[in-house]
Amino acid sequence: MRFWGKIIRDNHILMNVTITDDSEETRTHKVLHTLEQICHEWDLSVPIWLDSNIREFKRTKKVRFTQDSFVGEEIFFDYLELQVLDED
């Protein structure tokens, strides 16, 4: 699977990265591992998945994490987006 992670502020991409996960893990584990990897690389806490995030991801293969998902951390951007580009 290939993922695209982006940090957006004022409709501009501030940071972005593409990550490929060719492991034998489940789809869910790949998504969670990729999100952790992105947050570690950008020195962010890992956001929590709200019910609205889960519904959005199931419907569109992408998810946006806003301030509500970053518990105890003030973010410098509008949202962090994770999108599935390719599935095996």
Side-chain angles (χ1 to χ4, degrees):
M1 289 180 80
R2 278 187 6 177
F3 299 91
W4 186 17
K6 299 176 270 190
I7 287 183
I8 309 290
R9 183 175 63 206
D10 298 328
N11 294 320
H12 291 89
I13 297 174
L14 300 180
M15 303 165 83
N16 77 97
V17 64
T18 303
I19 295 176
T20 301
D21 186 338
D22 293 328
S23 70
E24 296 297 321
E25 294 290 331
T26 65
R27 182 179 191 265
T28 301
H29 283 108
K30 288 180 182 184
V31 170
L32 295 175
H33 181 260
T34 298
L35 182 59
E36 289 174 8
Q37 188 176 348
I38 288 170
C39 290
H40 178 75
E41 184 173 324
W42 291 339
D43 196 28
L44 299 171
S45 64
V46 178
I48 59 170
W49 287 78
L50 303 172
D51 289 340
S52 59
N53 297 122
I54 295 168
R55 283 191 305 272
E56 176 186 10
F57 189 73
K58 286 180 178 179
R59 191 175 65 254
T60 64
K61 294 187 181 180
K62 71 178 174 182
V63 61
R64 290 180 176 181
F65 297 101
T66 60
Q67 179 65 61
D68 293 342
S69 295
F70 290 89
V71 178
E73 179 179 358
E74 190 69 29
I75 59 173
F76 62 92
F77 49 87
D78 295 332
Y79 59 88
L80 165 63
E81 183 174 278
L82 179 63
Q83 179 178 359
V84 176
L85 295 177
D86 293 323
E87 290 195 63
D88 300 327

